Amino acid sequence: MGILSSLLGNAGAIEKETLQEKYSKLLIPSEEIEAGFKIIRDTFIFTNKRLILVDVQGITGNKIEYFSVLYKSITRFSVETAGSFDLDAELKIWISGEQTPSISKRFNKKVDIYEVQKILAQFTL
């Protein structure tokens, strides 16, 4: 189900150590990775300072956009748990001034959506 889930666009958790090795150049000295998730080639990382979205572009994946969202610019967020027939949970994040969610990500059942919600709540409330 892991490969199928990835192909459907659902996120899976990534170990902090793996994220630290790969993305340490993006972090400032006092910044620490709290959690990270991968959807096919893209990654999003929760740090103690911000949310980092890593968007791998193009067929070769040589072009990469790193999009940072400060927690203070997140005005609201919602989580939708997985149901009996719906095998994934969903996270939606609204950024200041936006009427629709600026960020929307789907998580497979391996990811504890309550933990994701807790991380966001910790840094935004």
Side-chain angles (χ1 to χ4, degrees), residues 27-80:
L27 306 176
I28 62 173
S30 61
E31 191 170 20
E32 296 179 19
I33 293 174
E34 298 292 328
F37 304 92
K38 187 168 185 79
I39 301 176
I40 304 175
R41 297 188 309 172
D42 298 340
T43 305
F44 54 108
I45 305 163
F46 294 98
T47 75
N48 60 334
K49 306 278 185 193
R50 61 189 161 146
L51 172 60
I52 303 170
L53 302 166
V54 182
D55 180 17
V56 178
Q57 302 171 357
I59 295 171
T60 62
N62 288 334
K63 185 175 179 180
I64 302 172
E65 177 184 21
Y66 301 97
F67 182 70
S68 292
V69 179
L70 299 177
Y71 291 122
K72 67 181 180 182
S73 68
I74 296 174
T75 56
R76 60 187 168 157
F77 60 90
S78 71
V79 291
E80 182 179 302

Side-chain angles (χ1 to χ4, degrees), residues 99-117:
Q99 296 298 318
T100 58
S102 305
I103 301 165
S104 182
K105 299 293 180 186
R106 299 173 77 102
F107 296 82
N108 61 33
K109 282 194 172 192
K110 292 180 183 176
V111 175
D112 182 356
I113 194 69
Y114 295 106
E115 194 61 36
V116 174
Q117 188 277 153

Side-chain angles (χ1 to χ4, degrees), residues 84-103:
S84 298
F85 299 106
D86 186 14
L87 299 176
D88 56 297
E90 189 171 5
L91 167 69
K92 294 178 184 175
I93 299 173
W94 285 260
I95 297 176
S96 301
E98 299 289 327
Q99 296 298 318
T100 58
S102 305
I103 301 165

